[in-house]
Amino acid sequence: MNILLFGGFLGSGKTSIILQVARHLVGDIEEGFSTRQSDGGKTSLVIIENEVGETGIDDKILKAEGLSVRDLFAGCICCTLNAELTICLNEIQEELSPKWVIIETTGMAFPDRVAETITKYGKDIESLKTIVVADAERWDELSTVMPGLVEGQISKADVILLNKIDCLEPEQVSDVEERVRGINSSALFYAISAQHEVDSQIWREAVTGK
Amino acid sequence: MSEERHEHLPEHSHQHILECSNQQPDPAIFSETHGLVFLEKVSSEKIQQALTQWVEEIREWAKSNAYLVGHIKLFVEGPENLWLSSTGRSINIKHSQGWSEWFTYRVNLNVTAIIFGTSKKALGEVAQVRLQACIKRIDSDE
């Protein structure tokens, strides 16, 4: 089981990006957008959705695209629901043993805390990658109002996706990029706009590491 | 239009307090699911216009009070789907392929607004009143 752990502040574009990544991953396996593999109907990709509030929206968006989704509501998996996350992950492994599991955290979560839980208690984890989405359009505002959260999310990411660059001028994007890289210089960095189809080469490098 | 002509039953209405020990202020959360039934078929265009207006109104209310928008999201669930989202700036509109030509008697409506700087009560009152007005607009003859 290979895990992609997605973090990033509310509204940064995690769900839009996950939709594209899911298409890439499933297409990579079976050249079609379905989470079912042809050999025996085994599920190749499962998404775990952790949402703020007890009425989920992101899970419904992903399910409407035919994706297999498990919900974890009424708490945050980086703190109050970390035990539930472990149980959920291990059940997925035992029941389905998918090649890929995508976890979408709430916009208030610290992904490194979730990664710590998975590393400690997860079973049969082949790989774990933390991907954090940063909102280029709101970078100034968010890094001013909530610097601890925004920087904490980015600081330990393996991959940073600076999203919504279509909302800024190129020089503004460069400025934000510099500030994001200043927080975490070791992560792979990509500036994207998930409003449009992202170059699959980026997903190959960032997600599957090819 | 009368109240009897449609049902909009809130299946969930909760405020979830995030208990993350992250030293961040807790946002106010409005999160509801409604099953809407209309007496006559309504067009997807009419549904989209009314719901976009709801997002605009919450966005403007937050802006005028200098609140920080976490996000405002809305998903219409049915044979065709509509997804609206905003972080307080532009409103993103995405929909399924057949949405534009669609007419329906019923939809499931899921809405969430997460706003920093206000209370659950204040957000709930504003969001609920404006949502009911929006639902009435969908069912009106105008």
Side-chain angles (χ1 to χ4, degrees), chain B residues 36-120:
Chain B
L36 307 182
V37 181
F38 311 111
L39 187 60
E40 295 178 353
K41 274 190 174 181
V42 294
S43 69
S44 57
E45 186 187 357
K46 194 172 187 183
I47 294 170
Q48 183 173 324
Q49 277 176 358
L51 297 178
T52 303
Q53 190 172 336
W54 181 78
V55 176
E56 284 170 355
E57 287 176 1
I58 301 302
R59 180 184 67 176
E60 293 311 310
W61 171 76
K63 189 178 176 184
S64 63
N65 288 284
Y67 300 144
L68 174 69
V69 175
H71 68 225
I72 305 164
K73 277 190 185 182
L74 183 156
F75 188 63
V76 175
E77 209 181 358
E80 299 294 339
N81 303 305
L82 172 71
W83 174 16
L84 305 179
S85 62
S86 179
T87 58
R89 302 194 181 195
S90 58
I91 298 174
N92 288 311
I93 303 173
K94 293 179 183 175
H95 51 71
S96 56
Q97 211 167 16
W99 170 261
S100 305
E101 308 297 321
W102 195 46
F103 287 80
T104 185
Y105 283 111
R106 66 177 66 225
V107 293
N108 282 329
L109 174 64
N110 306 279
V111 296
T112 296
I114 303 176
I115 312 286
F116 293 84
T118 186
S119 67
K120 166 194 172 184

Side-chain angles (χ1 to χ4, degrees), chain A residues 9-110:
Chain A
F9 191 70
L10 297 158
S12 58
K14 296 185 291 298
T15 308
S16 296
I17 288 171
I18 286 171
L19 275 170
Q20 291 201 32
V21 169
R23 288 190 193 105
H24 170 76
L25 290 176
V26 177
D28 209 31
I29 295 165
E30 54 189 290
E31 293 183 355
F33 189 40
S34 163
T35 54
R36 297 273 169 190
Q37 285 189 47
S38 51
D39 59 337
K42 198 176 165 187
T43 302
S44 59
L45 168 66
V46 176
I47 300 173
I48 298 175
E49 268 298 320
N50 181 211
E51 291 188 56
V52 175
E54 296 193 17
T55 296
I57 287 191
D58 295 342
D59 66 314
K60 294 178 178 69
I61 292 165
L62 296 165
K63 283 173 186 168
E65 291 285 333
L67 294 160
S68 175
V69 183
R70 300 281 181 106
D71 302 319
L72 284 175
F73 295 157
C76 178
I77 57 173
C78 88
C79 44
T80 56
L81 289 185
N82 53 10
E84 284 80 355
L85 172 65
T86 305
I87 291 166
C88 181
L89 260 181
N90 291 340
E91 277 178 357
I92 289 169
Q93 172 59 17
E94 282 171 24
E95 292 167 15
L96 304 166
S97 191
K99 182 175 180 182
W100 295 99
V101 173
I102 291 176
I103 301 172
E104 181 172 1
T105 64
T106 74
M108 301 289 284
F110 287 92

